[in-house]
Amino acid sequence: MATISNLANLTPATAVNSRSSSSSSVVPRSFLNFRGFDSKLSSSQLSLRFNNHQSRPSLFVRCSVSGGNGSAGKRTTLHDLYEKEGQSPWYDNLCRPVTDLLPYIARGVRGVTSNPAIFQKAISTSNAYNDQFRTLVESGKDIESAYWELVVKDIQDACKLFEPIYDQTEGADGYVSVEVSPRLADDTQGTVEASKYLHKVVNRRNVYIKIPATAPCIPSIRDVIASGISVNVTLIFSIARYEAVIDAYLEGLEASGLDDLSRVTSVASFFVSRVDTLMDKMLEQIGTPEALELRGKAAVAQAALAYKLYQKKFSGPRWEALVKKGAKKQRLLWASTSVKNPAYSDTLYVAPLIGPDTVSTMPDQALEAFVDHGTVKRTIDANVSEAEGIYSAIEKLGIDWNKVGEQLEEEGVDSFKNCFESLLVTLQDKANTLKPATH
């Protein structure tokens, strides 16, 4: 494996089917010691994050420590989801060896998302990283650099597995997402620099760089898109912020100067279940029959209205001018699809959000539930008037949707920051305790 730190000397074998960013090779100050990469990373595991609401035999293999497992799977509802309704099912997890993803791909998964919480859970609970981590520490790498090396290797290997889907769809699907440091959520220029550098070191055509939809990062999204880098915009919790994200994407395409926009794509990750978690508490505090009747309905209603906005924004003269240059719609991606309240259906945040040109990224609980008993039919715009009624009824109770979104965004950023900082502490502890390898 080539050395990532020496990007100018990447061999064709390393950069196969890849397009590097044309951005400056200077390492940005804001990348948190993302320097001196050595890509000789060994395999490990990312453990699962969610428990199933129901006890049933698992339909999917679990991430293993020693090697890949599982055989080719039969056709599932995930295939139908894409082929019949145009929604791409993605998997919200990543593990080593990445060959453990093969059974998921065989059963219809078309992409992967990751985040700081996933990596924190995996690295802090698994011994499978130890050999590689020991090598990095003994070579003089600092803790943050070691962390990014582990992450980049996982992303590169996963990208390779999804390349056939990327090629078959001409760059419309088959992506693997990796997030910039959560420390940069309030740093506009730092996020731009980190995104360009992360895109460069991953060096895979089908990588999505994840940027949070915080107010300071909206301009970052525009600038990163303008530089020709595909982006997964994450942590979207409100209609107002979602519209700002769409505008940033459109402005970025317009500012890119590219004659061919077909390889610059994006998804907008609209979070779902977390909305109900907070909104239900607020409705219970109000306590009226009208308020209590709205529990478990806010998230799906807002998502339906987001899709309505998507249809409006990606139509008309402005969008058609970009289509002539090969532009692709920024697909809505439903995130946070695991059900937190056991009283709710375990497919609540998947089944009502099925529609064309969308993505649903699911952790194991949601994925297995939908494969087991999900129904494939277009639902996202089946009851728009009902969604508008729910949205309006919540406003009439005195709840400000934008303030709810701001609170959830702040909580989401803080959660990822805490996961990141906790993991660095864990890695430092490991560095202090790892004994020299015996030869």
Side-chain angles (χ1 to χ4, degrees), residues 26-94:
V26 177
V27 180
R29 58 172 175 77
S30 56
F31 205 69
L32 305 176
N33 297 324
F34 196 177
R35 298 175 170 86
F37 263 168
D38 181 349
S39 66
K40 296 179 180 297
L41 302 178
S42 65
S43 65
S44 177
Q45 133 181 351
L46 284 177
S47 58
L48 302 175
R49 298 186 297 144
F50 298 98
N51 295 323
N52 292 328
H53 285 291
Q54 301 178 15
S55 295
R56 65 169 66 91
S58 174
L59 300 175
F60 293 87
V61 298
R62 292 297 193 256
C63 299
S64 64
V65 174
S66 58
N69 54 58
S71 58
K74 63 181 180 180
R75 183 179 180 85
T76 74
T77 52
L78 300 181
H79 293 101
D80 292 338
L81 196 60
Y82 176 74
E83 294 171 13
K84 295 181 179 180
E85 299 300 339
Q87 182 175 80
S88 296
W90 288 7
Y91 183 40
D92 191 28
N93 195 24
L94 183 57

Side-chain angles (χ1 to χ4, degrees), residues 270-276 296-304 349 353 401:
F270 204 101
F271 280 56
V272 191
S273 69
R274 294 190 194 184
V275 173
D276 273 346
K297 298 179 180 179
V300 170
Q302 183 178 229
Y349 303 116
L353 303 179
W401 281 92

Side-chain angles (χ1 to χ4, degrees), residues 290-306:
E290 294 80 7
L292 298 177
E293 179 63 24
L294 293 168
R295 288 178 297 179
K297 298 179 180 179
V300 170
Q302 183 178 229
L305 299 185

Side-chain angles (χ1 to χ4, degrees), residues 305-341:
L305 299 185
Y307 189 75
K308 180 182 178 181
L309 178 62
Y310 159 84
Q311 291 175 309
K312 176 184 176 182
K313 299 286 285 190
F314 289 100
S315 62
R318 182 185 187 187
W319 175 243
E320 291 305 321
L322 291 169
V323 170
K324 291 178 180 178
K325 293 185 177 183
K328 294 175 179 175
K329 295 176 181 178
Q330 181 188 54
R331 291 187 295 172
L332 262 170
L333 180 152
W334 309 122
S336 182
T337 56
S338 63
V339 176
K340 309 297 193 295
N341 187 334

Side-chain angles (χ1 to χ4, degrees), residues 168-410:
Q168 291 160 11
T169 59
E170 298 183 343
D173 220 345
Y175 287 90
V176 178
S177 298
V178 58
E179 192 158 346
V180 297
S181 168
R183 288 177 174 174
L184 299 174
D186 296 321
D187 186 343
T188 302
Q189 188 55 35
T191 295
V192 173
E193 294 172 0
S195 298
K196 290 179 178 179
Y197 196 72
L198 185 54
H199 179 260
K200 182 177 239 181
V201 295
V202 172
N203 194 35
R204 296 293 185 267
R205 296 174 301 156
N206 57 326
V207 65
Y208 266 144
I209 305 302
K210 290 182 77 173
I211 299 175
T214 57
C217 286
I218 294 298
S220 310
I221 295 161
R222 179 196 61 215
D223 292 349
V224 173
I225 290 292
S227 70
I229 295 173
S230 295
V231 173
N232 177 342
V233 184
T234 189
L235 295 177
I236 304 172
F237 294 98
S238 70
I239 299 291
R241 186 54 55 84
Y242 173 48
E243 185 165 17
V245 167
I246 297 175
D247 288 339
Y249 177 62
L250 296 176
E251 292 168 9
L253 292 177
E254 291 166 339
S256 70
L258 296 172
D259 294 327
D260 180 11
L261 296 173
S262 63
R263 296 294 174 175
V264 185
T265 70
S266 181
V267 292
S269 295
F270 204 101
F271 280 56
V272 191
S273 69
R274 294 190 194 184
V275 173
D276 273 346
T277 299
L278 175 57
M279 192 69 78
D280 283 0
K281 292 179 182 178
M282 300 174 74
L283 293 170
E284 288 170 359
Q285 287 176 350
I286 295 172
T288 64
E290 294 80 7
L292 298 177
E293 179 63 24
L294 293 168
R295 288 178 297 179
K297 298 179 180 179
V300 170
Q302 183 178 229
L305 299 185
Y307 189 75
K308 180 182 178 181
L309 178 62
Y310 159 84
Q311 291 175 309
K312 176 184 176 182
K313 299 286 285 190
F314 289 100
S315 62
R318 182 185 187 187
W319 175 243
E320 291 305 321
L322 291 169
V323 170
K324 291 178 180 178
K325 293 185 177 183
K328 294 175 179 175
K329 295 176 181 178
Q330 181 188 54
R331 291 187 295 172
L332 262 170
L333 180 152
W334 309 122
S336 182
T337 56
S338 63
V339 176
K340 309 297 193 295
N341 187 334
Y344 296 160
S345 165
D346 55 4
T347 61
L348 175 61
Y349 303 116
V350 179
L353 303 179
I354 298 173
D357 300 321
T358 60
V359 178
S360 180
T361 189
M362 296 171 269
D364 281 84
Q365 170 266 323
L367 194 66
E368 293 185 10
F370 191 77
V371 168
D372 184 63
H373 50 270
T375 299
V376 175
K377 65 178 180 179
R378 180 166 176 164
T379 53
I380 183 60
D381 49 5
N383 296 292
V384 176
S385 60
E386 180 182 345
E388 290 172 336
I390 292 170
Y391 193 92
S392 177
I394 289 174
E395 285 184 319
K396 289 178 181 177
L397 290 172
I399 295 175
D400 187 327
W401 281 92
N402 289 335
K403 288 184 179 179
V404 169
E406 290 170 3
Q407 179 177 337
L408 288 169
E409 176 189 296
E410 182 178 350

